[in-house]
Amino acid sequence: MAEKQIIPAVVGLSGGFVIAGGVIALMVGLGIITRFVGITHTAKHVKKYETAILAGAIFGNLLTVHQIRIPLGIFGLVLMGVMFGIFVGGWILALAEIVNIFPIFARRIGITKGYSLIVIAIAVGKTAGSLYHFYRRWGM
């Protein structure tokens, strides 16, 4: 029985490591890590950032492949939701910054003031939509 699971386990973990490596390479290529370090003025902790990202990739890969359940309770669920939101928000903002979508959009529609309010409104709308989505339990 165990022999039949060895090859799929090795293939699954190998594929997961390749994908995680690609995601980490994309994060480095987009400059997400350096941007976070620059914004927070924590350049002396870059090794900790790198270690946390690598550990997260490995841990997430193992959790996905083995479908391990971690009973964290409602507090853990809220904390993980906030952390995932920050992660996805960082990706979205990094991608938007790379392609300069906000300045181009603002220039095209003639916005000269209130630019930061528009970005905040987009973030609030995204958050409200996500909360409504989870409240309605869509996709579960």
Side-chain angles (χ1 to χ4, degrees):
M1 178 82 165
E3 297 86 27
K4 291 181 180 180
Q5 295 179 355
I6 291 174
I7 292 176
V10 169
V11 170
L13 283 172
S14 299
F17 285 127
V18 168
I19 298 300
V23 169
I24 292 170
L26 184 61
M27 288 176 73
V28 170
L30 288 175
I32 294 173
I33 299 168
T34 54
R35 181 84 170 134
F36 284 158
V37 168
I39 289 171
T40 58
H41 305 293
T42 55
K44 61 184 175 183
H45 301 290
V46 171
K47 288 279 189 192
K48 291 179 183 176
Y49 280 108
E50 293 170 352
T51 303
I53 291 168
L54 182 61
I58 292 170
F59 187 64
N61 188 18
L62 292 173
L63 287 177
T64 303
V65 169
H66 295 290
Q67 297 180 357
I68 300 169
R69 293 188 179 264
I70 302 174
L72 297 175
I74 192 70
F75 177 75
L77 180 64
V78 169
L79 181 64
M80 294 303 291
V82 169
M83 296 299 173
F84 292 161
I86 291 170
F87 180 76
V88 171
W91 272 93
I92 291 168
L93 290 176
L95 287 170
E97 190 173 303
I98 293 296
V99 297
N100 293 323
I101 197 161
F102 290 126
I104 292 169
F105 179 71
R107 187 174 54 238
R108 294 262 169 109
I109 63 173
I111 295 175
T112 57
K113 293 183 181 179
Y115 183 68
S116 60
L117 292 175
I118 293 171
V119 173
I120 291 170
I122 292 170
V124 168
K126 176 68 176 160
T127 302
S130 296
L131 291 174
Y132 183 70
H133 171 86
F134 291 122
Y135 174 75
R136 297 290 303 213
R137 297 182 184 256
W138 291 334
M140 291 186 180

